[in-house]
Amino acid sequence: MEFTVGSGVRRSCAPTVIILAAGQGTRMRSDLPKVLHVVGGKPLLAHVIDTAIQLEARRVCVVYGHGGERVRASLAHLPVTWVEQASQLGTGHAVLQALPHLQHGDTALILYGDVPLIRPETLRTLLDAVVPSPDAPKGALALLTVDLLDPTGYGRILRDEAGQVIGIVEEKDATPRERQVREVNTGVLAVDGGYLANWIARLDTRNAQGEYYLTDIVSLAVADGVPVRTTAPSVLIEVLGVNQRVQLAELERAYQLCRARELMLQGVTLRDPARFDLRGELTVGRDVEIDIGVIFEGQVQLGDRVRIGPHCFLKDVTIADDTEVRAHSVLEGATVGQGCVIGPFARLRPGTTLDSRVHVGNFVEIKQSQVQEGSKINHLSYIGDADVGRGVNVGAGTITCNYDGANKHRTVIGDRVFVGSNTALVAPVEIGADAIIGAGSVIVCNAPSGELTLSRARQETRPGWKRPTKKASTA
Ligand code: UD1
Ligand code: CA
């Protein structure tokens, strides 16, 4: 249950974590189970599970109930033990369901599936408070508590004159005097698993809500002479739960400000941390600048001195040093080389790889294509399923016609090709190196290298041709 580090400081061992997630979440007014609603692009419950994993928990049990199959199915990839609580008879009853998974000597740590922002450091401090001492051979009961200006709705922490915790009383069971207590139970607690099993077995439902209250273990601990200790989170937001969508939005913003702060401390310039959204993982080089309203999803990597303009969306992209992404660009599943200029209003779709110093301008869409060093596609183009060589200039309005209605075909454009404006390249087709394609061409056959190829009606002038005139009205 403990080990001693060199300094003699006692440290707790890996706990068994029990996450309560069986509540209905009625106030969300949603068909989606509450714990699947997201903060920072990740389900509430997944945040809590990830935190438990960071604590190197021996086992993570999730007690699920309402909508449980959906919860299990969408988080099936996470290494947890799923425990069903068929009917929600209270927090004590929920913990009871997980007890068979506790092993002798385990420390149990209780978390809530709808309290997503609890930090591992806070939980380590709580677990350290459980560690045995001469007055508590099997360890103390440790509660995470906070003082609230408005404690309404929470269980109140009751202490004796000496300041020792003697119990928790739920709001609905509290006397007016007890309701004045501002120290509240966050619900998060840690205790030896043997004690927990013993106390849970002794719970009853003689209370205002007719439920098995987990909180009643506190007075049982006191009766059994087990010390009750309390620790506090470093910030309040860690212990706030989600019951309705206003709280969900508040936690989202708090979470985003936290991520924004971390990035700024890493050396990123954020034009406004209040208008920053990270819904995945962002890794950054030095002196990265991010303007307002940018949304990052999935895994995004930005090299040194990368600049992201306002209102861009980046999902699963890697961008090398010195590249600039200008306003309103959408990049997804793309790899962008050094010193490129993307946008404004550019769209890079999955399978796009740009080499260094490529320019992609406004209203250009690229997918499943490689563009080599120094090529420019600056205006109004669609480049799909194409291999574009080095130093190519693709004129405004050039389209690769990659789809014949049934299958996709590739377009290959050699080095230093110049494609005139408003050209349709009907794939499969290949343009040889150094070729020039005349503007307005529809290219259906391969164009030889080094030559001018064009396919369009010859321009003619008809001298003296008269414009039609309006017929005289018959009415
Ligand atoms: C509980 C605490 C209260 C504390 C508050 C903090 C008890 C009796 N009271 O009150 O002291 O201040 O949390 O938010 O523990 N759950 C189940 N199965 C159940 C009942 C609940 O899994 O049968 C889960 C819920 O999904 C939720 C958590 O347990 O994640 C807390 O349940 P909730 O009903 O919100 O508890 P409160 O009455 O608010
Ligand atoms: Ca609650």
Side-chain angles (χ1 to χ4, degrees), residues 20 22-23 85 88-91 94 112 114 154-155 170 185-186 213 215:
L20 307 189
Q85 184 192 21
Q88 279 76 67
L89 304 181
T91 48
Y112 286 6
D114 56 3
Y154 288 89
E170 291 304 299
N185 173 35
T186 64
Y213 287 172
T215 44

Side-chain angles (χ1 to χ4, degrees), residues 331-350:
L331 282 67
E332 189 174 346
T335 304
V336 179
Q338 289 183 23
C340 294
V341 181
I342 312 298
F345 299 102
R347 179 167 183 213
L348 303 184
R349 290 173 51 201

Side-chain angles (χ1 to χ4, degrees), residues 27 34 112 114-115 153-154 186 241-243:
R27 281 177 286 164
K34 175 164 79 175
Y112 286 6
D114 56 3
V115 181
Y154 288 89
T186 64
V242 174
N243 291 311

